[in-house]
Amino acid sequence: CSCPLPSGDTALSRLVRRLLSARRSLDLCLFSFSCPDLARTVQFLHRRGVRVRLVTDAQYMELYGSQIGRLRHAGIQVRHDQHSGYMHHKFAIVDQRVLITGSLNWTTQAIQSNRENVLVVEDAEYVKAYLDEFERIWEEYNPANYNFFP
Amino acid sequence: CSCPLPSGDTALSRLVRRLLSARRSLDLCLFSFSCPDLARTVQFLHRRGVRVRLVTDAQYMELYGSQIGRLRHAGIQVRHDQHSGYMHHKFAIVDQRVLITGSLNWTTQAIQSNRENVLVVEDAEYVKAYLDEFERIWEEYNPANYNFFP
């Protein structure tokens, strides 16, 4: 399958390049995910054998343009909250080593029209705090723990 | 005037404590600001002589519960965008030295109900990138540059 790197040196292409550096794992904790370029990138990594896990928000994953269905269809593991509050994180962790976080939702609107920031951090102390949060959420949103009869 | 520190050791009280450490300046770049505790903190710093500058989003500053009017009324300098895209940053810089950034909008909903992250960074290289962005936005949103007749 072909490489999904967008052309040019843009903030988006730099983000995609960071993601494409993944060799073993990609942990995604994303409030909203509608950007097709980023969905293609995640699918590409999944097909290449990288272990992708994705946590998202139950309300926003059903919005128009959401890529969550497509990623699930591609066989990527997705979990979501069961609360009225938002799962509002927007971070990615590459190979349990590089943290990508900030204000940016992975939406076309955010990338094309908003004023946003994305921080790339390799400091182990920071990365660990976000990894721990990811693992906590991943367990908490395990469908085996859902309450259908509250 | 009395100290606005919320009681207990919560994420909110830790955030307020960081803000209260400001001695000279507080630069705020906030998509949405409706949390009364945080507004009280900012007002307290302003009255204590800290130079407060606040950049916000034109659409969200008019939402129900917004604290922007109250802060302007208190004499705090506020600037906002003039675009259809969002000014979606959510960061604060204390004394040009400590960066506080993350997914957290300064809203009651975010603090009480959402899953959020806040990162406190003192690494000069990171702080400078956000300071530069703040100064760029502060100039760009200078009302003297508004176009009323496009």
Side-chain angles (χ1 to χ4, degrees):
Chain A
C1 38
S2 65
C3 176
L5 189 62
S7 62
D9 182 33
T10 63
L12 176 61
S13 74
R14 288 197 295 278
L15 173 56
V16 168
R17 205 169 298 125
R18 285 283 185 175
L19 298 171
L20 289 176
S21 74
R23 289 298 169 264
R24 291 177 305 282
S25 67
L26 179 64
D27 295 318
L28 301 170
C29 203
L30 298 169
F31 173 51
S32 185
F33 193 162
S34 70
C35 173
D37 281 322
L38 290 170
R40 260 193 297 277
T41 304
V42 170
Q43 267 187 277
F44 176 81
L45 290 168
H46 170 68
R47 283 195 303 258
R48 209 164 62 174
V50 170
R51 183 193 63 166
V52 178
R53 296 184 294 176
L54 169 53
V55 168
T56 192
D57 183 77
Q59 288 138 81
Y60 270 68
M61 75 180 182
E62 307 198 332
L63 285 203
Y64 178 78
S66 171
Q67 300 289 314
I68 300 298
R70 168 183 175 175
L71 296 173
R72 281 193 148 136
H73 192 73
I76 291 169
Q77 289 186 77
V78 178
R79 294 184 180 180
H80 59 79
D81 68 310
Q82 255 205 324
H83 312 294
S84 58
Y86 291 139
M87 199 311 293
H88 199 242
H89 290 306
K90 333 116 176 0
F91 68 82
I93 304 170
V94 175
D95 291 339
Q96 307 202 300
R97 208 179 42 79
V98 182
L99 167 66
I100 302 168
T101 188
S103 65
L104 184 81
N105 291 312
W106 286 23
T107 64
T108 307
Q109 135 104 17
I111 287 163
Q112 290 182 352
S113 315
N114 291 358
R115 203 97 193 202
E116 303 276 3
N117 66 82
V118 175
L119 199 57
V120 180
V121 181
E122 307 200 20
D123 183 296
E125 188 191 346
Y126 289 112
V127 176
K128 184 176 185 315
Y130 283 77
L131 260 180
D132 288 350
E133 171 72 352
F134 183 88
E135 296 293 350
R136 256 193 311 272
I137 295 183
W138 187 251
E139 260 327 294
E140 189 180 324
Y141 296 176
N142 185 336
N145 302 330
Y146 284 1
N147 293 311
F148 292 104
F149 309 102
Chain B
C1 37
S2 65
C3 175
L5 190 60
S7 62
D9 182 33
T10 62
L12 176 61
S13 73
R14 288 198 295 277
L15 173 55
V16 168
R17 205 170 296 126
R18 283 283 185 175
L19 297 172
L20 289 176
S21 73
R23 289 296 169 266
R24 292 177 304 281
S25 66
L26 179 64
D27 295 318
L28 301 170
C29 204
L30 297 169
F31 174 50
S32 185
F33 193 161
S34 69
C35 173
D37 281 322
L38 290 169
R40 260 193 297 277
T41 304
V42 170
Q43 267 188 277
F44 176 80
L45 290 168
H46 171 68
R47 282 195 305 258
R48 207 164 66 175
V50 169
R51 182 193 66 166
V52 178
R53 297 184 293 176
L54 169 53
V55 168
T56 192
D57 182 76
Q59 287 138 82
Y60 271 68
M61 74 180 181
E62 308 198 334
L63 284 203
Y64 178 77
S66 171
Q67 300 289 314
I68 299 298
R70 169 184 173 172
L71 295 173
R72 280 193 150 135
H73 192 74
I76 290 167
Q77 289 186 76
V78 177
R79 294 184 180 179
H80 59 80
D81 68 311
Q82 254 204 328
H83 313 294
S84 59
Y86 292 139
M87 200 312 294
H88 198 244
H89 290 306
K90 334 116 175 359
F91 68 83
I93 304 170
V94 174
D95 290 339
Q96 305 201 301
R97 208 179 43 79
V98 181
L99 167 67
I100 301 168
T101 189
S103 65
L104 184 81
N105 291 313
W106 286 22
T107 64
T108 307
Q109 134 104 16
I111 287 163
Q112 291 182 351
S113 314
N114 292 356
R115 203 96 194 202
E116 303 276 4
N117 66 83
V118 175
L119 199 56
V120 179
V121 180
E122 306 199 21
D123 182 295
E125 188 192 346
Y126 289 111
V127 177
K128 184 175 184 316
Y130 284 77
L131 259 179
D132 289 350
E133 172 73 352
F134 184 88
E135 295 294 350
R136 256 193 312 270
I137 296 183
W138 187 251
E139 259 329 294
E140 190 180 324
Y141 296 176
N142 185 337
N145 302 330
Y146 283 0
N147 293 311
F148 292 103
F149 308 103

